[in-house]
């Protein structure tokens, strides 16, 4: 949330390492589904940055997980 923590496959990832981590985890598999869940306090610009990095890493299938208010 407000700490902008990123977890990939149960591992904490620094924002500066996210793109490299996603490239490694995707391994060129453009069909793998990436599920994103964010705290409602997270700035939208941060979420957009994460989504752009997933795309840059070769991810094409992004699923957004939402929770009701």
């Amino acid at each position: 949330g407000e700490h902008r923590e990123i977890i990939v496959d149960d591992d904490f990832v620094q924002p500066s390492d996210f793109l490299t981590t996603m490239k490694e985890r995707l391994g060129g598999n453009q069909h793998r589904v990436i599920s994103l869940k964010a705290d409602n306090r997270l700035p939208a610009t941060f979420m957009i940055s994460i989504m752009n990095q997933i795309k840059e890493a070769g991810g094409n299938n992004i699923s957004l997980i939402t929770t009701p208010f």
Side-chain angles (χ1 to χ4, degrees), residues 34-39 47 62-67:
I34 295 102
S35 298
L36 295 178
K37 181 178 179 182
D39 186 292
M47 190 67 162
I62 300 174
S63 172
L64 298 177
I65 300 169
T66 59
T67 54

Side-chain angles (χ1 to χ4, degrees), residues 18-55:
F18 182 71
L19 178 60
T20 301
T21 299
M22 286 307 302
K23 286 180 180 179
E24 291 170 357
R25 302 288 171 103
L26 285 170
N29 181 358
Q30 296 180 350
H31 302 290
R32 183 172 178 184
V33 176
I34 295 102
S35 298
L36 295 178
K37 181 178 179 182
D39 186 292
N40 65 355
R41 296 170 290 180
L42 185 73
T45 53
F46 186 76
M47 190 67 162
I48 291 167
S49 171
I50 293 297
M51 293 170 67
N52 286 337
Q53 289 181 65
I54 291 170
K55 183 177 179 181

